[in-house]
Amino acid sequence: MSAKIALKPKVQLGVVTTHFKFVGGIVPDENGKFPRDADGALLCLTEMKKLCEVSRVNMNIVQIPFFSSADPKEVAEMIDGLKAMDLEVHFIIMVGGANPMNPADEDAVVGQLVISLKAAITHGVRHVSSTSIEEWMSNETRKDGAEFEAAIAQNVKVHLRVYQEAGVEGSCIENWHIEFLRPGEFKTFTTLDRAWAFVRAANEALGKKFFKLLVDAAHCGDSGLTIAQNEDLFARIAAAGEFGVFHASAKTTRGCLSTDDGWISALLTAVAKTGELRHVFVEVFDHTDPALELVRKLDPGHGIDTRDGRSYTEVTADGLADIAHRLNNLAARGFLNA
């Protein structure tokens, strides 16, 4: 194995646990139980141990998709196992079957989010993320004008209600990072500026900069805004104190980072220059994952095999090495503090 890469800047680096599939990998069953390997160990822990062994860079953070239906004992087993690998756990909360923009679905959305944030508090999680401003792959149409403002207002109501009911004030949770998705997966909050409109409104209503923008290079690349437009927004968002987690993920394919057409490198550099880069996660998806069939129908590019003969563990490890080198060189060039 090649020599380990020492991460030089004061930036945390890790992965989102998506490279071994949602279905059969990280989604709990109808009883809230997670998939296990042949020896009875949680598959998530088995796969993360494997990744830690082959990665040339030592990770210090991991972001796990969190489902409110998961068995609390299984959640504890997973989190304890990840912490034993010297990984700080972040949640990315999944909300399903309800539309946060629809007042009729408010209780359903709040219920899922409250359970999730209470679990984060139980396990000492400092950073939670979510796409909880819109329902994934819904039949909704894009909201603009007065409808867009109403959608923001309803989302603010939902998220502040969760903040209160989950007991977030004074807890271990430092920030809630909000992610927008590409057109098709979402209809309304599909660009960085539209997602920022919600974050600004939520922070203003709360009276502090608790909500941040989770910026995924893939979603920026597929959003329709140019690199330059996203870079300009990064500077403004960072100056407002509302920039959060960064996902290093390739647009369209969501596979090997070499398929990103320059978006990751450009956006990572732009964020580094703001001085607000804190958490970077490599995110890779299995192109055969049954959970992502709708995305493959939306864009066949999502179903391309980008492994080039490697396993997805190796693809993810290569992504970690690539991003570690980029971060080290950004530090060498004076854009990040070493």
Side-chain angles (χ1 to χ4, degrees):
M1 180 187 288
S2 301
K4 284 280 187 177
I5 304 167
L7 191 62
K8 297 174 183 177
K10 296 177 181 178
V11 174
Q12 291 186 294
L13 176 62
V15 298
V16 187
T17 58
T18 50
H19 61 282
F20 48 91
K21 297 183 181 180
F22 279 95
V23 174
I26 52 179
V27 176
D29 64 17
E30 64 276 8
N31 297 312
K33 307 296 185 181
F34 292 111
R36 293 180 180 266
D37 66 17
D39 296 322
L42 289 175
L43 190 64
C44 177
L45 299 182
T46 301
E47 292 294 337
M48 284 304 300
K49 182 180 179 181
K50 188 187 307 179
L51 180 60
C52 288
E53 289 171 349
V54 303
S55 174
R56 293 178 59 203
V57 58
N58 289 327
M59 295 173 282
N60 43 36
I61 49 175
V62 62
Q63 190 174 55
I64 59 171
F66 185 87
F67 299 85
S68 61
S69 61
D71 184 305
K73 291 182 179 179
E74 300 252 317
V75 170
E77 182 180 349
M78 180 182 295
I79 293 175
D80 289 345
L82 291 169
K83 287 180 178 178
M85 299 179 203
D86 294 323
L87 298 170
E88 179 181 355
V89 176
H90 288 221
F91 282 2
I92 182 159
I93 298 166
M94 304 288 108
V95 176
N99 180 1
M101 298 185 290
N102 185 352
D105 287 351
E106 180 177 321
D107 288 343
V109 175
V110 168
Q112 293 179 56
L113 289 172
V114 166
I115 290 172
S116 301
L117 266 70
K118 283 186 174 180
I121 293 169
T122 295
H123 295 287
V125 173
R126 296 191 301 139
H127 294 277
V128 299
S129 300
S130 67
T131 58
S132 54
I133 50 176
E134 188 168 341
E135 186 176 9
W136 187 65
M137 287 289 187
S138 74
N139 293 321
E140 291 280 323
T141 57
R142 178 183 168 102
K143 297 184 184 299
D144 288 299
E147 286 189 334
F148 181 59
E149 295 303 321
I152 290 173
Q154 179 61 25
N155 266 314
V156 169
K157 182 183 178 186
V158 165
H159 288 76
L160 264 61
R161 184 179 156 192
V162 172
Y163 184 92
Q164 296 296 330
E165 293 184 18
V168 174
E169 183 69 32
S171 75
C172 58
I173 300 176
E174 296 177 10
N175 291 114
W176 187 344
H177 305 256
I178 300 295
E179 181 180 14
F180 72 93
L181 300 185
R182 60 179 290 174
E185 292 186 69
F186 276 2
K187 305 297 191 304
T188 294
F189 293 98
T190 57
T191 58
L192 186 58
D193 55 332
R194 291 172 75 86
W196 188 25
F198 161 73
V199 168
R200 283 199 311 269
N203 284 334
E204 183 176 354
L206 188 59
K208 61 181 179 180
K209 300 297 177 72
F210 174 72
F211 293 94
K212 305 277 186 176
L213 262 297
L214 187 160
V215 176
D216 187 310
H219 297 316
C220 288
D222 285 322
S223 71
L225 297 185
T226 66
I227 286 177
Q229 287 172 317
N230 279 284
E231 289 172 335
D232 175 67
L233 282 164
F234 286 176
R236 293 161 54 198
I237 292 167
E242 293 173 330
F243 196 97
V245 163
F246 184 87
H247 277 181
S249 192
K251 74 182 187 72
T252 307
T253 69
R254 309 309 300 278
C256 179
L257 302 196
S258 65
T259 66
D260 80 323
D261 297 332
W263 277 85
I264 293 172
S265 57
L267 299 191
L268 191 64
T269 299
V271 181
K273 289 179 178 179
T274 71
E276 293 298 317
L277 187 63
R278 302 283 185 268
H279 317 280
V280 179
F281 292 98
V282 170
E283 186 178 38
V284 172
F285 293 103
D286 187 315
H287 70 288
T288 66
D289 191 340
L292 302 174
E293 178 61 26
L294 290 177
V295 186
R296 291 191 289 275
K297 289 180 178 178
L298 176 68
D299 188 333
H302 193 84
I304 294 173
D305 186 351
T306 64
R307 291 174 296 174
D308 200 21
R310 297 164 294 172
S311 69
Y312 270 109
T313 299
E314 292 169 330
V315 169
T316 306
D318 285 347
L320 283 164
D322 174 82
I323 296 302
H325 281 308
R326 293 183 186 279
L327 292 171
N328 283 347
N329 284 316
L330 285 165
R333 294 157 62 196
F335 299 135
L336 290 174
N337 292 326

